[in-house]
Amino acid sequence: MRGLLGGLCLAVLASGLAQAQSMVPAHNGSCPSGTSYAGSGYCRATNGDVYVPAQNGSCPSGASYAGSNYCRSSSARGYVPAHNGSCPSGSSYAGSGYCKI
């Protein structure tokens, strides 16, 4: 669970960075579609897409499964984890435990 949370935090942080490049942790040594292995257990995305961990194989609305337990969205908007099913002001629930910001 700790690895998933770390990956989730990194994915959320990466979604807020400049869209030119983001990093996500590799899952069991493999990278999601649209990324390449960057070393030290990370995958690099240079396509501007947002990656978040899949929740039990499910992706939030607006994202598609990218393999390696990740979901990918080409939207400039990102996702944050829902807190007990609730989303922060200005966002909407996107399913699979995420809010679309």
Side-chain angles (χ1 to χ4, degrees):
M1 183 71 172
R2 185 174 184 179
L4 177 62
L5 289 176
L8 181 58
C9 290
L10 185 63
V12 169
L13 287 173
S15 70
L17 298 174
Q19 291 296 317
Q21 178 175 296
S22 63
M23 296 279 190
V24 294
H27 183 73
N28 295 327
S30 61
C31 294
S33 173
T35 67
S36 59
Y37 190 69
S40 298
Y42 286 94
C43 304
R44 176 182 292 122
T46 57
N47 54 11
D49 289 348
V50 174
Y51 292 84
V52 294
Q55 299 294 324
N56 298 319
S58 297
C59 294
S61 175
S64 59
Y65 190 72
S68 299
N69 202 42
Y70 281 99
C71 303
R72 175 178 61 200
S73 173
S74 58
S75 170
R77 298 170 65 171
Y79 298 91
V80 294
H83 183 70
N84 295 327
S86 296
C87 294
S89 177
S91 67
S92 59
Y93 189 70
S96 299
Y98 286 100
C99 303
K100 194 172 205 172
I101 54 174

